[in-house]
Amino acid sequence: MSDWILYVILAGGVAFAVSSWWGVRRLKARHIRSAVREDAHNPNPGDQKVAVILNPVKNNAEVARNAIIDACELAGWDAPRFYETTVDDPGYGQSRQALADRADVILACGGDGTVRVVAECLAHKNVAMGLIPVGTGNLLARNVDLDVTDMEGCIQTALFGHQRYIDTATMAISNSITGHASTHTFLVIAGMGLDAEVVGDTREDLKKTVGWLAYTEAGVRHLPGRRKRVSITMDDEPEQARKIRSVLFANCGLIPGGIDFIPQAMIDDGMLDIVVMSPRSAFGWLAMYTKILFKHKHNLPMMSFYRSGKVTIRSQEPMATQLDGDPSGEATKVTVQVEPASLLVRVPKAKTA
């Protein structure tokens, strides 16, 4: 690796550390992830049949397994039933089986990919999902105010906490070149363009070493790319033509490091917050980063914000896509739509003032 890339990664690390400190500081003062602010409610009292969708290759997976078993035994409940994910099935079949077995609560024990798959299966099913975050990002857990460093606390919340309904969103992906098409659920932020390129090209060895800072190196390599022409249609509004580098679709906006990337994105408002980014140079990227970090109100011509229940983007050439930090292939068309109040999630009891 050349020296200049190392210097950029170091500079990115310093900037990330500063922004993380600043983000946490700001969030302590005001952290509102809810628009409706409906009080979380207690689940039905009594014994619960607990199912756990477990990614066995994650760090601390066995620690989590034993802790869940101990918690259920201490409560006097039947032993939880575990359904392990595999390379061939990341949780779809396991979640459907847990529903068929009439579980009262289904715990997603893994990273963001496991959580997203379980949520996709539980959406509109009125069965609660508990979160045991043992991944790197743990995006949804952060956005429902779980302490991702406290496994015991997360288990207590998943088994005995309150619960509330949140929005989910779906992204329909189609590629006119290959003929591939699929539709998947996401919970936090999906994207098309540069952000997805960075996610798909981040070095796994570097990610294991420095965590989320590894995205800096991939980001530096992809910054020099060109803008691409797309058409954007939101709800029933007229189609607009744009040249873009990246589009983000946010259900909620808190990301690792305490950064509230899209502060106006609320998890239960029945709307998507869409960010269209079209910088021409490194100066444009720097201006956008400054806006996000300091949350200033000045509009930037290369960064546009919209709110919509549904958005469709068409591109003549395939563009990379991602769902909650997982690459989801290239697409010439994506249709993203919010699913209001579609998922029941176990959350901590609301703090009283």
Side-chain angles (χ1 to χ4, degrees), residues 17-27 257-258 292-295:
V18 172
S19 64
S20 298
W21 170 82
W22 182 265
V24 171
R25 186 167 177 261
R26 292 291 294 272
L27 286 170
I292 293 166
L293 175 59
F294 293 102
K295 297 181 174 61

Side-chain angles (χ1 to χ4, degrees), residues 3 30 90 106 115 130 141 147 150 154 202 207 213 233 284 291 302 314 317 325 332:
D3 290 343
R30 56 177 189 83
I106 298 178
V115 171
D147 181 353
D150 180 9
C154 291
T202 298
K207 188 175 178 180
L213 292 179
T233 306
K291 178 179 175 63
M302 73 289 292
R314 294 177 176 86
E317 55 184 303
T332 54

